[in-house]
Coordinates of all heavy atoms in Angstrom, one line a residue:
M1 N 172.3 190.9 192.4 CA 173.5 191.7 192.4 C 173.2 193.1 191.9 O 172.5 193.3 191.0 CB 174.5 191.0 191.4 CG 175.7 191.8 191.1 SD 176.7 191.0 189.9 CE 178.2 190.9 190.8
R2 N 173.7 194.1 192.7 CA 173.5 195.5 192.4 C 174.6 196.0 191.5 O 175.8 195.7 191.8 CB 173.4 196.3 193.6 CG 172.1 195.9 194.4 CD 172.0 196.7 195.7 NE 172.2 198.2 195.4 CZ 172.1 199.1 196.3 NH1 171.8 198.8 197.5 NH2 172.2 200.4 196.0
A3 N 174.3 196.8 190.6 CA 175.3 197.4 189.7 C 176.0 198.5 190.5 O 175.4 199.2 191.3 CB 174.7 198.0 188.5
A4 N 177.3 198.6 190.3 CA 178.0 199.7 191.0 C 177.7 201.0 190.4 O 177.5 201.1 189.2 CB 179.5 199.4 190.8
V5 N 177.5 202.0 191.2 CA 177.2 203.4 190.7 C 178.5 204.1 190.6 O 179.3 204.3 191.5 CB 176.2 204.1 191.7 CG1 176.0 205.5 191.2 CG2 174.9 203.3 191.8
D6 N 178.7 204.7 189.4 CA 179.9 205.5 189.2 C 179.6 206.9 189.6 O 178.7 207.5 189.1 CB 180.3 205.4 187.7 CG 181.6 206.2 187.3 OD1 182.2 206.7 188.2 OD2 181.9 206.2 186.1
V7 N 180.4 207.5 190.5 CA 180.2 208.8 191.0 C 180.2 209.9 189.9 O 179.6 210.9 190.1 CB 181.2 209.2 192.1 CG1 180.7 208.8 193.5 CG2 182.6 208.7 191.8
T8 N 180.8 209.6 188.8 CA 180.8 210.6 187.7 C 179.4 210.6 187.0 O 179.1 211.6 186.3 CB 181.8 210.2 186.6 OG1 181.6 208.9 186.1 CG2 183.2 210.3 187.2
D9 N 178.5 209.7 187.3 CA 177.2 209.6 186.8 C 176.2 210.4 187.6 O 175.0 210.6 187.2 CB 176.7 208.2 186.6 CG 177.4 207.4 185.6 OD1 178.1 208.1 184.7 OD2 177.3 206.2 185.6
I10 N 176.5 210.9 188.8 CA 175.6 211.6 189.7 C 175.5 213.1 189.2 O 176.6 213.8 189.1 CB 176.1 211.5 191.1 CG1 176.0 210.0 191.6 CG2 175.2 212.4 192.0 CD1 176.6 209.8 193.0
A11 N 174.3 213.5 189.0 CA 174.1 214.9 188.5 C 174.3 215.9 189.7 O 174.0 215.6 190.8 CB 172.7 215.1 188.0
V12 N 174.9 217.0 189.4 CA 175.2 218.1 190.4 C 174.5 219.3 189.8 O 174.7 219.7 188.7 CB 176.7 218.3 190.6 CG1 176.9 219.4 191.5 CG2 177.3 217.0 191.1
F13 N 173.8 220.0 190.7 CA 173.1 221.3 190.3 C 173.6 222.4 191.1 O 173.9 222.3 192.3 CB 171.6 221.1 190.6 CG 171.0 219.9 189.8 CD1 170.9 218.7 190.4 CD2 170.5 220.1 188.6 CE1 170.4 217.6 189.7 CE2 170.0 219.1 187.9 CZ 169.9 217.8 188.4
K14 N 173.7 223.6 190.5 CA 174.1 224.8 191.2 C 172.8 225.4 191.8 O 171.8 225.4 191.2 CB 174.7 225.8 190.2 CG 176.1 225.4 189.7 CD 176.7 226.4 188.9 CE 178.1 225.9 188.4 NZ 178.8 226.9 187.7
A15 N 173.0 225.9 193.0 CA 171.8 226.4 193.8 C 172.3 227.6 194.6 O 173.5 227.8 194.8 CB 171.2 225.4 194.6
A16 N 171.3 228.4 195.1 CA 171.6 229.5 195.9 C 170.5 229.6 197.0 O 169.4 229.3 196.8 CB 171.7 230.8 195.1
C17 N 170.9 230.1 198.2 CA 170.0 230.3 199.3 C 169.5 231.8 199.3 O 170.4 232.6 199.4 CB 170.6 229.9 200.6 SG 169.6 230.2 202.0
P18 N 168.2 232.0 199.3 CA 167.8 233.4 199.4 C 168.0 234.0 200.8 O 168.0 235.2 201.0 CB 166.3 233.4 199.0 CG 165.9 231.9 199.3 CD 167.1 231.1 199.1
D19 N 168.1 233.2 201.8 CA 168.3 233.6 203.2 C 169.7 234.1 203.5 O 169.9 235.3 203.9 CB 167.9 232.6 204.2 CG 166.4 232.3 204.3 OD1 165.6 233.0 203.6 OD2 166.0 231.4 205.0
C20 N 170.7 233.2 203.3 CA 172.1 233.6 203.6 C 172.9 234.0 202.4 O 174.0 234.4 202.5 CB 172.7 232.4 204.3 SG 173.1 231.0 203.3
R21 N 172.2 233.9 201.2 CA 172.9 234.2 199.9 C 174.1 233.3 199.6 O 174.9 233.7 198.8 CB 173.3 235.7 199.9 CG 172.1 236.6 200.0 CD 172.4 238.0 199.7 NE 171.4 238.9 200.0 CZ 170.4 239.3 199.2 NH1 170.5 238.9 197.9 NH2 169.5 240.2 199.5
G22 N 174.1 232.2 200.2 CA 175.2 231.2 199.9 C 174.9 230.6 198.5 O 173.8 230.4 198.1
R23 N 176.0 230.3 197.9 CA 176.0 229.6 196.5 C 176.8 228.3 196.7 O 177.8 228.3 197.3 CB 176.6 230.5 195.5 CG 175.8 231.8 195.2 CD 176.4 232.5 194.0 NE 175.5 233.7 193.8 CZ 174.4 233.6 193.1 NH1 173.9 232.5 192.6 NH2 173.7 234.7 192.9
F24 N 176.2 227.2 196.1 CA 176.8 225.9 196.3 C 176.3 225.0 195.3 O 175.5 225.3 194.4 CB 176.4 225.4 197.7 CG 175.0 225.8 198.1 CD1 173.9 225.0 197.7 CD2 174.8 226.9 198.9 CE1 172.6 225.4 198.0 CE2 173.5 227.2 199.3 CZ 172.4 226.5 198.8
E25 N 176.8 223.8 195.3 CA 176.4 222.7 194.4 C 175.7 221.6 195.2 O 176.2 221.3 196.3 CB 177.6 222.1 193.6 CG 178.1 223.1 192.6 CD 179.3 222.5 191.8 OE1 179.8 221.5 192.1 OE2 179.6 223.2 190.7
L26 N 174.6 221.1 194.7 CA 173.9 220.0 195.4 C 173.8 218.8 194.4 O 173.5 219.0 193.2 CB 172.5 220.4 195.8 CG 172.4 221.6 196.8 CD1 171.0 222.1 196.9 CD2 173.0 221.2 198.1
D27 N 173.9 217.6 194.9 CA 173.6 216.5 194.0 C 172.1 216.2 194.0 O 171.4 216.7 194.8 CB 174.5 215.3 194.4 CG 174.2 214.6 195.7 OD1 173.0 214.6 196.1 OD2 175.1 214.1 196.3
A28 N 171.7 215.3 193.1 CA 170.3 215.0 192.9 C 169.6 214.5 194.2 O 168.4 214.8 194.4 CB 170.1 214.0 191.8
T29 N 170.3 213.9 195.1 CA 169.7 213.4 196.3 C 169.3 214.5 197.3 O 168.6 214.2 198.2 CB 170.6 212.3 197.0 OG1 171.8 213.0 197.4 CG2 170.9 211.2 196.1
A30 N 169.9 215.7 197.2 CA 169.7 216.8 198.1 C 168.5 217.6 197.7 O 168.0 218.5 198.4 CB 170.9 217.7 198.2
L31 N 167.9 217.3 196.5 CA 166.8 218.1 196.0 C 165.5 217.3 195.9 O 165.6 216.1 195.8 CB 167.1 218.6 194.5 CG 168.3 219.6 194.4 CD1 168.9 219.5 193.0 CD2 167.8 221.0 194.8
R32 N 164.4 218.0 196.0 CA 163.1 217.3 195.8 C 162.3 218.2 194.8 O 162.4 219.4 194.9 CB 162.3 217.3 197.1 CG 162.9 216.4 198.2 CD 162.9 215.0 197.8 NE 163.6 214.2 198.8 CZ 164.9 213.8 198.7 NH1 165.6 214.2 197.7 NH2 165.5 213.1 199.6
L33 N 161.6 217.5 193.9 CA 160.8 218.2 192.9 C 159.3 217.9 193.1 O 159.0 216.7 193.2 CB 161.2 217.8 191.5 CG 160.4 218.4 190.3 CD1 160.4 219.9 190.3 CD2 160.9 217.8 189.1
A34 N 158.4 218.9 193.2 CA 157.0 218.6 193.3 C 156.3 219.2 192.1 O 156.6 220.4 191.7 CB 156.4 219.3 194.5
I35 N 155.6 218.4 191.4 CA 154.9 218.8 190.1 C 153.4 218.8 190.4 O 152.8 217.8 190.7 CB 155.2 217.8 189.0 CG1 156.8 217.8 188.7 CG2 154.5 218.2 187.7 CD1 157.2 216.8 187.6
G36 N 152.9 220.0 190.3 CA 151.5 220.2 190.5 C 150.7 220.5 189.2 O 151.3 220.4 188.1
A37 N 149.5 220.9 189.4 CA 148.6 221.1 188.2 C 148.9 222.5 187.5 O 148.4 222.7 186.4 CB 147.2 221.0 188.6
S38 N 149.6 223.3 188.2 CA 149.9 224.7 187.6 C 151.3 225.1 188.0 O 152.0 224.4 188.7 CB 148.9 225.7 188.2 OG 149.2 225.9 189.6
R39 N 151.7 226.2 187.4 CA 153.0 226.8 187.7 C 153.2 227.1 189.2 O 154.3 227.0 189.7 CB 153.2 228.1 186.9 CG 153.5 227.9 185.5 CD 153.7 229.2 184.8 NE 154.3 229.0 183.5 CZ 154.7 230.0 182.8 NH1 154.7 231.3 183.2 NH2 155.2 229.8 181.6
R40 N 152.1 227.5 189.8 CA 152.1 227.9 191.2 C 152.4 226.7 192.1 O 152.8 226.9 193.2 CB 150.9 228.7 191.6 CG 150.7 230.0 190.8 CD 149.4 230.6 191.0 NE 149.3 231.1 192.4 CZ 148.1 231.4 192.9 NH1 147.0 231.3 192.2 NH2 148.1 231.8 194.2
T41 N 152.0 225.5 191.7 CA 152.2 224.4 192.5 C 153.3 223.4 192.0 O 153.3 222.3 192.5 CB 150.8 223.6 192.6 OG1 150.4 223.2 191.3 CG2 149.8 224.4 193.3
T42 N 154.1 223.9 191.2 CA 155.3 223.2 190.7 C 156.6 223.9 191.2 O 156.8 225.0 190.9 CB 155.3 223.0 189.2 OG1 154.1 222.4 188.8 CG2 156.5 222.3 188.7
F43 N 157.3 223.1 192.0 CA 158.5 223.8 192.7 C 159.5 222.7 193.0 O 159.3 221.5 193.0 CB 158.1 224.5 193.9 CG 157.4 223.6 195.0 CD1 158.2 223.0 195.9 CD2 156.1 223.4 195.0 CE1 157.6 222.1 196.9 CE2 155.4 222.5 195.9 CZ 156.2 221.9 196.9
Y44 N 160.7 223.2 193.3 CA 161.8 222.3 193.9 C 162.2 222.8 195.2 O 162.0 224.0 195.5 CB 162.9 222.1 192.9 CG 163.8 223.3 192.6 CD1 165.0 223.5 193.3 CD2 163.4 224.3 191.7 CE1 165.8 224.7 193.1 CE2 164.2 225.4 191.4 CZ 165.4 225.6 192.1 OH 166.1 226.7 191.9
S45 N 162.7 221.9 196.0 CA 163.1 222.4 197.4 C 164.4 221.6 197.8 O 164.7 220.6 197.3 CB 162.0 222.1 198.4 OG 161.7 220.7 198.4
F46 N 165.1 222.3 198.8 CA 166.3 221.7 199.3 C 166.5 222.4 200.7 O 165.9 223.5 201.0 CB 167.5 221.9 198.4 CG 167.8 223.3 198.0 CD1 168.7 224.1 198.8 CD2 167.2 223.9 196.9 CE1 168.9 225.4 198.4 CE2 167.5 225.2 196.6 CZ 168.4 225.9 197.3
T47 N 167.4 221.9 201.4 CA 167.9 222.5 202.7 C 169.2 223.1 202.4 O 170.1 222.5 201.9 CB 168.0 221.5 203.8 OG1 166.7 220.9 204.0 CG2 168.5 222.1 205.1
C48 N 169.4 224.4 202.8 CA 170.6 225.1 202.5 C 171.7 224.5 203.4 O 171.6 224.3 204.6 CB 170.5 226.6 202.9 SG 172.1 227.5 202.8
P49 N 172.8 224.0 202.8 CA 173.9 223.4 203.5 C 174.7 224.4 204.4 O 175.4 224.0 205.3 CB 174.8 222.8 202.5 CG 174.5 223.6 201.2 CD 173.1 224.0 201.3
D50 N 174.5 225.7 204.1 CA 175.3 226.7 204.8 C 174.5 227.2 206.1 O 175.1 227.2 207.2 CB 175.5 228.0 203.9 CG 176.5 227.7 202.8 OD1 177.2 226.6 202.9 OD2 176.6 228.5 201.9
C51 N 173.2 227.5 205.9 CA 172.5 228.0 207.1 C 171.4 227.1 207.6 O 170.8 227.4 208.6 CB 171.9 229.4 206.8 SG 170.5 229.4 205.6
G52 N 171.0 226.0 206.8 CA 170.0 225.1 207.3 C 168.6 225.5 206.9 O 167.6 224.8 207.3
A53 N 168.4 226.6 206.2 CA 167.1 227.1 205.8 C 166.4 226.1 204.8 O 167.1 225.5 204.0 CB 167.1 228.5 205.2
A54 N 165.1 226.0 205.0 CA 164.3 225.2 204.0 C 164.0 226.1 202.8 O 163.4 227.2 203.0 CB 163.0 224.7 204.6
V55 N 164.5 225.8 201.6 CA 164.3 226.6 200.5 C 163.4 226.0 199.5 O 163.5 224.8 199.2 CB 165.7 226.9 199.8 CG1 165.6 227.7 198.5 CG2 166.7 227.5 200.8
R56 N 162.5 226.8 199.0 CA 161.5 226.4 198.0 C 161.5 227.4 196.9 O 161.3 228.6 197.1 CB 160.1 226.3 198.7 CG 159.0 225.9 197.7 CD 157.7 225.7 198.5 NE 156.6 225.8 197.6 CZ 155.4 225.4 198.0 NH1 155.1 224.9 199.2 NH2 154.4 225.5 197.1
K57 N 161.7 226.9 195.6 CA 161.7 227.8 194.5 C 160.8 227.2 193.4 O 160.7 226.0 193.2 CB 163.2 227.9 194.0 CG 164.1 228.6 194.9 CD 165.4 228.8 194.3 CE 166.3 229.6 195.3 NZ 167.5 230.1 194.6
P58 N 160.2 228.1 192.6 CA 159.4 227.7 191.5 C 160.2 227.0 190.4 O 161.4 227.2 190.2 CB 158.8 229.0 190.9 CG 159.7 230.1 191.4 CD 160.3 229.6 192.7
A59 N 159.5 226.0 189.8 CA 160.2 225.2 188.7 C 159.4 225.3 187.4 O 158.3 224.7 187.4 CB 160.4 223.8 189.2
G60 N 159.9 226.0 186.5 CA 159.3 226.0 185.1 C 159.5 224.8 184.4 O 160.2 223.9 184.9
E61 N 159.1 224.7 183.1 CA 159.2 223.5 182.3 C 160.7 223.1 182.2 O 161.0 221.9 182.3 CB 158.6 223.7 181.0 CG 157.1 223.7 181.0 CD 156.5 223.9 179.6 OE1 157.1 223.4 178.6 OE2 155.5 224.5 179.5
R62 N 161.6 224.0 181.9 CA 163.0 223.7 181.7 C 163.6 223.2 182.9 O 164.4 222.2 182.9 CB 163.7 224.9 181.2 CG 165.2 224.7 180.9 CD 165.4 223.8 179.7 NE 166.8 223.6 179.4 CZ 167.3 222.4 179.1 NH1 166.6 221.4 179.0 NH2 168.6 222.3 179.0
I63 N 163.3 223.8 184.1 CA 163.9 223.3 185.4 C 163.4 221.9 185.7 O 164.1 221.0 186.1 CB 163.5 224.2 186.5 CG1 164.1 225.6 186.3 CG2 163.9 223.7 187.9 CD1 165.6 225.7 186.3
V64 N 162.1 221.6 185.4 CA 161.5 220.3 185.6 C 162.2 219.3 184.8 O 162.6 218.2 185.2 CB 160.0 220.3 185.4 CG1 159.5 218.9 185.3 CG2 159.3 221.1 186.4
E65 N 162.5 219.6 183.5 CA 163.2 218.8 182.6 C 164.6 218.4 183.1 O 165.0 217.3 183.1 CB 163.2 219.5 181.2 CG 163.6 218.6 180.1 CD 163.5 219.4 178.8 OE1 162.4 219.8 178.4 OE2 164.6 219.6 178.2
L66 N 165.3 219.5 183.5 CA 166.7 219.3 184.0 C 166.7 218.4 185.2 O 167.6 217.5 185.4 CB 167.4 220.6 184.2 CG 167.7 221.4 183.0 CD1 168.1 222.8 183.4 CD2 168.8 220.8 182.2
L67 N 165.8 218.7 186.2 CA 165.9 218.0 187.5 C 165.4 216.5 187.3 O 166.1 215.6 187.8 CB 165.0 218.7 188.5 CG 165.4 220.1 188.9 CD1 164.4 220.7 189.9 CD2 166.8 220.0 189.5
T68 N 164.4 216.3 186.5 CA 164.0 214.9 186.3 C 165.0 214.1 185.5 O 165.3 213.0 185.8 CB 162.6 214.8 185.6 OG1 162.6 215.5 184.4 CG2 161.5 215.3 186.5
G69 N 165.6 214.8 184.5 CA 166.7 214.1 183.8 C 167.9 213.8 184.6 O 168.7 212.9 184.3
G70 N 168.1 214.6 185.7 CA 169.3 214.4 186.5 C 169.0 213.5 187.7 O 169.9 213.4 188.6
G71 N 167.8 212.9 187.8 CA 167.6 211.9 188.8 C 167.0 212.5 190.1 O 167.0 211.8 191.1
V72 N 166.5 213.7 190.1 CA 165.9 214.2 191.3 C 164.6 213.5 191.6 O 163.8 213.3 190.7 CB 165.7 215.8 191.2 CG1 164.9 216.3 192.3 CG2 167.1 216.5 191.0
R73 N 164.4 213.2 192.9 CA 163.2 212.5 193.3 C 162.0 213.4 193.1 O 162.1 214.6 193.5 CB 163.3 212.1 194.8 CG 162.5 210.8 195.0 CD 162.7 210.3 196.4 NE 163.9 210.7 197.1 CZ 164.1 210.4 198.4 NH1 163.2 209.6 199.0 NH2 165.2 210.7 199.0
T74 N 161.0 212.9 192.5 CA 159.8 213.7 192.1 C 158.5 213.2 192.7 O 158.3 212.0 192.8 CB 159.6 213.7 190.5 OG1 160.8 214.1 189.9 CG2 158.5 214.5 190.1
L75 N 157.8 214.2 193.2 CA 156.4 214.0 193.8 C 155.4 214.6 192.9 O 155.5 215.8 192.6 CB 156.4 214.5 195.2 CG 155.0 214.5 195.9 CD1 154.6 213.1 196.1 CD2 155.1 215.3 197.1
R76 N 154.4 213.9 192.4 CA 153.4 214.5 191.6 C 152.2 214.8 192.5 O 151.6 213.9 193.2 CB 152.9 213.5 190.5 CG 154.1 213.3 189.5 CD 153.6 212.8 188.2 NE 154.7 212.5 187.3 CZ 155.3 213.4 186.5 NH1 154.8 214.6 186.5 NH2 156.3 213.1 185.7
L77 N 151.8 216.0 192.5 CA 150.7 216.5 193.4 C 149.4 216.4 192.6 O 149.3 216.7 191.4 CB 150.9 217.9 193.8 CG 152.2 218.3 194.5 CD1 152.4 219.7 194.7 CD2 152.4 217.5 195.8
H78 N 148.4 215.9 193.3 CA 147.1 215.7 192.6 C 146.1 216.6 193.3 O 146.1 216.8 194.6 CB 146.5 214.3 192.7 CG 147.4 213.3 192.1 ND1 147.5 213.1 190.7 CD2 148.4 212.5 192.6 CE1 148.4 212.2 190.4 NE2 148.9 211.8 191.5
S79 N 145.2 217.3 192.6 CA 144.2 218.1 193.2 C 143.1 217.3 193.7 O 142.8 216.2 193.2 CB 143.7 219.1 192.1 OG 143.0 218.5 191.1
T80 N 142.4 217.8 194.7 CA 141.3 217.0 195.3 C 140.0 217.8 195.0 O 139.8 218.9 195.6 CB 141.4 216.9 196.8 OG1 141.6 218.2 197.4 CG2 142.6 216.0 197.2
L81 N 139.3 217.4 194.0 CA 138.1 218.1 193.6 C 136.9 217.4 194.1 O 136.8 216.3 194.3 CB 138.0 218.2 192.0 CG 139.1 219.0 191.4 CD1 139.0 219.0 189.9 CD2 139.1 220.5 191.9

């Protein structure tokens, strides 16, 4: 038996598109977080609901904390040495 999900429990994040300058809210399922070995390889991404652009933005420690706490799907990147 699956537990019912209450829509009030779904995290919503404010975002903006650098291409069309649209401002909107996205739920956790619309975002992806990639955590790399450095600041340069840690970012979040989404598709702009206004213009369809693929958006990628850097994610510092606080952003990572907020997104993971809000249920955003996370990919951990590993370096190949």
Side-chain angles (χ1 to χ4, degrees):
M1 173 184 234
R2 292 179 53 176
V5 176
D6 184 359
V7 271
T8 59
D9 291 342
I10 297 174
V12 176
F13 300 92
K14 291 185 179 185
C17 177
D19 288 354
C20 72
R21 300 190 187 266
R23 295 188 175 278
F24 37 82
E25 292 184 343
L26 298 171
D27 67 33
T29 62
L31 295 157
R32 298 290 175 267
L33 174 63
I35 300 176
S38 70
R39 285 182 167 188
R40 295 172 69 195
T41 58
T42 300
F43 60 90
Y44 66 98
S45 62
F46 59 90
T47 300
C48 175
D50 293 344
C51 72
V55 179
R56 178 175 159 165
K57 294 188 174 189
E61 286 181 36
R62 180 70 179 137
I63 298 294
V64 169
E65 194 176 293
L66 290 170
L67 295 177
T68 55
V72 172
R73 212 174 337 176
T74 303
L75 172 67
R76 296 200 181 272
L77 306 175
H78 299 281
S79 63
T80 55
L81 296 177

